[in-house]
Amino acid sequence: MNTKRRDWYLDWYLKGQRLAIAVTVAAALLSSAPARAATFTQSGGTQTVDSLVLGTGSGDHDTYDLSGTGNLSAGHEYIGYAGTGVFTQTGGTNTVAGNFYVGTLIGSSGTYNLSSGSLSGAYEHIGHGGTGIFNQTGGTHTVTNGLNLGSGGGSGTYHLSSGSLSVRNHERFGYAGTGVFNQTGGTHTVVSSDLVLGDQRGGSGTYHLSGTGILEVGRHEHIGGFGTGTFTQTGGTNRVSYDLFLGGTDSGPGTYHLSGTGSLEVGRNEYIGYSSTGTFTQSGGMHTVNGTLSLGRGSGSSGTYTQSGGTHTVIGSMILAAFSGSGTYNLTGGTLTVNGGIINNAGGTFHAGPGTTATVGGVGFLNHGQLNGSGTIVGNITSDGIIAPGNSPGTLTITGDYTQSALGTLETEIGGLLAGTEYDVLNITGTATLNGTLTVSLFDLGGGVFAPVAGNSFDILTAQVINGTFSTVNLPALTSGLVWQIHYLTDAIGSTDVVRLGVQPVPLPAAVYLFGAALVGLAGLTRRRG
């Protein structure tokens, strides 16, 4: 390597303003120079340099102020190479044809402040090996290739409160480092590629979206690649043109938190737990998926969606636990609409909490999965999985028809005599077509496991019309001398059909009954004689 040191310090006056530009070639050789602090200002004119380096040595502290009509053009820029560099732009134009680094080497610190004017770079690294901070409160920032936050083990943070950021290729936050993007306003556009949070192993990418900020992703959004990704949205708008992945296409976990007034719109499909662990929590806001929502898509993956508020609309279908994954949807509040129906596979669970309503278009299939809870499902349900009403216990309502196949199971817990409060009820507003298995268990409400007595009855399923019967009935053991009875009653409550479980004494054998009747007759004769 050529060890010849070359420095140019250019001083001149442009429009009455003193300008000093430090241009450095082979800047790494300057790290042994004595510590220094220098300030460079440009408020007008045009300057072209091969490389601009601020904070060349480990003890250096350099600043650059660009304002007015100043025009700076550089082949490469290093804001904080080995020391500390600060670039403040309140106007003018800064164009970087090649690499643009803020916080370049380990131990370095770089800060770029953009409040007005325009910045254009080809390939940008914020926190490449050191600490990089980009503060944008206005102006226009254009990246013609890619943007990395937190690469090479560094830490990169981007604050966007106003103005526009446009990246014409991929963005990676947590590219083998720590990347954080805070957006409270302005517009952030990933024009024709993907946004990845937690791209490489050991990397951590975080996005905070609030206020009036707008994020537009031209292709896919990956929350968790090989590393860890987290997206927290309390306001603003996040639009993803193609697919949203949580738990990524690789091994990293992904988490999305939606609350407040935030709006998330996914143009095609959404995968929560694509190949690893994906978690989505929604306590407010609006979430629309224009294609299919899959939870726990890949083998060994796990996807969980917990909705306690807000509005969630899936234009296509919801698939729980596809391809041997594990998928769970917990609905405890808010509004859920799935226009294309729910396909719930083995390993999938849909929980409808008390007072909640899920509207399912078409037919909701339980394909060996489980549906439980005390909410309301608006739509027709076909089940060869497990229906488990109640919140131990409670009433699960299906506003529509219910069909249980030969492979389906209805699980009911009984802890007392009050329907929906002390024992489970499946309430069907339409027609219930029954087959498969009924499994009943006794429940402890706090005073010990409930023990039914003779004369107790439990209306465990109600429907406008009941067709068929359960082919297998599994009932818990009773006190000696008692036996269960199951009745399929037509119009038992007004026009409502009922499946009723009753507890009665064990019927006496016929011979014993006749012998007992004869004794009663003799006793009667004796009494009449007296």
Side-chain angles (χ1 to χ4, degrees), residues 167-190:
V167 181
R168 302 188 184 281
N169 206 323
H170 57 264
E171 290 190 34
R172 299 186 178 105
F173 302 163
Y175 187 72
T178 301
V180 178
F181 199 107
N182 299 311
Q183 184 178 5
T184 59
T187 302
H188 177 193
T189 305
V190 187

Side-chain angles (χ1 to χ4, degrees), residues 40-398:
F40 310 100
T41 61
Q42 181 182 2
S43 61
T46 299
Q47 178 60 32
T48 302
V49 297
D50 291 332
S51 295
L52 171 65
V53 182
L54 302 182
T56 304
S58 60
D60 294 345
H61 190 298
D62 298 334
T63 62
Y64 195 112
D65 296 323
L66 177 62
S67 63
T69 59
N71 186 354
L72 171 63
S73 179
H76 307 285
E77 286 189 14
Y78 304 88
I79 313 302
Y81 181 81
T84 300
V86 178
F87 196 113
T88 299
Q89 184 177 359
T90 58
T93 301
N94 183 9
T95 304
V96 185
N99 291 321
F100 176 84
Y101 289 86
V102 181
T104 311
L105 301 179
I106 295 175
S108 67
S109 174
T111 302
Y112 200 107
N113 301 309
L114 175 62
S115 61
S116 184
S118 65
L119 165 66
S120 176
Y123 200 81
E124 299 191 5
H125 303 265
I126 312 299
H128 176 67
T131 300
I133 299 175
F134 199 109
N135 299 311
Q136 184 176 0
T137 58
T140 301
H141 183 188
T142 303
V143 184
T144 59
N145 198 331
L147 172 64
N148 290 336
L149 297 184
S151 57
S155 173
T157 304
Y158 200 115
H159 300 282
L160 175 61
S161 61
S162 185
S164 65
L165 166 64
S166 177
V167 181
R168 302 188 184 281
N169 206 323
H170 57 264
E171 290 190 34
R172 299 186 178 105
F173 302 163
Y175 187 72
T178 301
V180 178
F181 199 107
N182 299 311
Q183 184 178 5
T184 59
T187 302
H188 177 193
T189 305
V190 187
V191 177
S192 58
S193 193
D194 298 353
L195 170 64
V196 183
L197 306 184
D199 187 73
Q200 295 296 314
R201 297 186 189 279
S204 174
T206 303
Y207 203 113
H208 299 285
L209 178 59
S210 62
T212 59
I214 297 175
L215 169 63
E216 301 266 6
V217 178
R219 286 179 55 82
H220 307 294
E221 193 170 292
H222 302 263
I223 315 299
F226 283 107
T228 300
T230 303
F231 200 114
T232 300
Q233 183 178 4
T234 60
T237 301
N238 180 11
R239 297 191 187 98
V240 184
S241 296
Y242 287 10
D243 301 333
L244 171 63
F245 298 88
L246 270 69
T249 54
D250 299 306
S251 57
T255 303
Y256 202 112
H257 302 289
L258 176 61
S259 63
T261 59
S263 174
L264 168 63
E265 182 175 350
V266 179
R268 297 199 311 194
N269 303 318
E270 183 171 314
Y271 302 95
I272 301 175
Y274 185 86
S275 61
S276 57
T277 301
T279 304
F280 199 114
T281 62
Q282 182 180 2
S283 60
M286 181 180 296
H287 181 192
T288 302
V289 180
N290 286 291
T292 298
L293 171 64
S294 296
L295 278 70
R297 183 185 185 280
S299 178
S301 66
S302 174
T304 302
Y305 198 115
T306 300
Q307 182 182 359
S308 59
T311 301
H312 187 191
T313 303
V314 181
I315 304 302
S317 299
M318 179 189 297
I319 303 176
L320 303 180
F323 304 110
S324 301
S326 173
T328 301
Y329 198 106
N330 294 312
L331 179 63
T332 62
T335 301
L336 171 65
T337 303
V338 185
N339 291 342
I342 298 175
I343 302 172
N344 194 352
N345 298 298
T349 300
F350 189 98
H351 173 75
T356 61
T357 299
T359 301
V360 181
V363 178
F365 290 90
L366 289 178
N367 189 22
H368 305 294
Q370 181 175 129
L371 168 63
N372 60 38
S374 300
T376 299
I377 306 297
V378 179
N380 300 321
I381 298 295
T382 298
S383 172
D384 59 6
I386 297 173
I387 299 286
N391 256 11
S392 296
T395 298
L396 177 65
T397 299
I398 297 176

